[in-house]
Amino acid sequence: KDVQKETEPHVYLSKEEVKEKIQSYNSSVTDKLKMTLNSNGIYTGFIKVQMELCRPITVQSSSGQGTCAHSNNDTAFYLPNDCVNTLHISSTNTVREVIEALLKKFFVADNPAKFALYKRCHKEDQVYICKLSDREHPLYLRLVAGPRTEMLSFVLREHETGEVMWEAFSLPELQNFLRILDKEENEQLQILKKRYAAYRDKLEEALGGVWKPG
């Protein structure tokens, strides 16, 4: 079940409550990705984000890394949905900062505004997908839910829903999409040609057997 936006109120915890939750969290961790509480009350830890992107992402060329400008050397490709990335963040990092860090890690040149972070959680034997607001703090959500990803996990998706807003893409991105479509069209065409060629061979073989003299 997809929920349009996260509506649960943010509960502010005291420093002592945070300390207790972190101790409980670390005692349940099985992958060594523990949280650390600093003396200033800020804590750090890890979150895992699954990439569920329907459209290709534009990756900066080696010469263009470190900039947001698109170039003719940028490439676009589809990212597998089973791709999971681990980020080390702090309790002060917002959803928007997490999205930007993910894109930077993959050298993605696309505008971060095109993406949104969702949380997937289990409630009453149902799975809910909630879009998080830019001001939410993912590490806080991870701490409250505990380390079990089946209870709470994070998903990166395209921000737009429904009709694709092509005007939001740059000219190089659109040109890359066209190249990908042309490549897929040619691949499908070759598959169809081979399939019908095989059918034709079998028909000709069958016709030869039927009309064979004697």
Side-chain angles (χ1 to χ4, degrees):
K1 180 179 179 181
D2 281 5
V3 179
Q4 182 63 26
K5 194 173 182 180
E6 172 61 40
T7 56
E8 294 181 3
H10 185 95
V11 178
Y12 292 93
L13 303 175
S14 65
K15 187 174 180 179
E16 189 60 36
E17 288 173 326
V18 169
K19 182 178 180 180
E20 291 176 0
K21 281 192 172 293
I22 289 177
Q23 290 174 344
S24 175
Y25 183 97
N26 290 341
S27 65
S28 303
V29 166
T30 58
D31 54 10
K32 298 183 180 180
L33 300 181
K34 296 184 177 183
M35 294 194 187
T36 302
L37 178 61
N38 300 317
S39 58
N40 58 3
I42 296 174
Y43 51 96
T44 59
F46 299 85
I47 63 169
K48 295 180 179 180
V49 181
Q50 182 172 354
M51 317 291 275
E52 291 186 356
L53 305 179
C54 298
R55 297 191 293 275
I57 58 173
T58 304
V59 179
Q60 298 169 7
S61 61
S62 56
S63 60
Q65 289 176 8
T67 66
C68 293
H70 292 278
S71 70
N72 293 331
N73 295 324
D74 290 347
T75 57
F77 65 93
Y78 287 95
L79 200 64
N81 278 342
D82 58 353
C83 179
V84 178
N85 204 280
T86 302
L87 286 179
H88 185 249
I89 62 174
S90 79
S91 55
T92 62
N93 288 131
T94 63
V95 163
R96 181 51 48 189
E97 290 171 334
V98 166
I99 293 174
E100 292 173 353
L102 274 173
L103 300 183
K104 184 177 180 181
K105 198 168 186 178
F106 280 95
F107 300 107
V108 177
D110 300 282
N111 189 337
K114 296 177 183 177
F115 303 92
L117 191 68
Y118 292 75
K119 78 170 185 177
R120 180 187 285 121
C121 54
H122 291 253
K123 291 182 181 179
E124 300 176 356
D125 297 327
Q126 290 192 12
V127 179
Y128 291 83
I129 302 291
C130 308
K131 184 170 74 173
L132 299 171
S133 70
D134 287 350
R135 297 183 300 274
E136 284 284 345
H137 297 87
L139 194 62
Y140 166 81
L141 298 175
R142 179 79 278 163
L143 175 63
V144 172
R148 294 173 57 190
T149 55
E150 63 268 24
M151 298 303 297
L152 171 72
S153 59
F154 296 103
V155 180
L156 184 73
R157 291 179 174 180
E158 286 88 356
H159 184 73
E160 297 86 8
T161 58
E163 186 68 22
V164 177
M165 299 175 62
W166 296 110
E167 62 273 14
F169 293 86
S170 67
L171 184 59
E173 286 179 303
L174 295 174
Q175 291 172 339
N176 277 326
F177 295 162
L178 286 174
R179 282 194 287 269
I180 290 174
L181 289 175
D182 287 340
K183 181 181 177 182
E184 291 180 348
E185 182 181 14
N186 289 330
E187 290 175 350
Q188 292 300 318
L189 184 60
Q190 294 303 318
I191 291 173
L192 284 174
K193 285 183 176 180
K194 289 180 181 179
R195 182 183 302 169
Y196 282 101
Y199 289 158
R200 185 179 296 107
D201 291 342
K202 290 184 181 296
L203 283 171
E204 291 177 349
E205 183 181 346
L207 286 170
V210 170
W211 294 103
K212 185 176 181 180

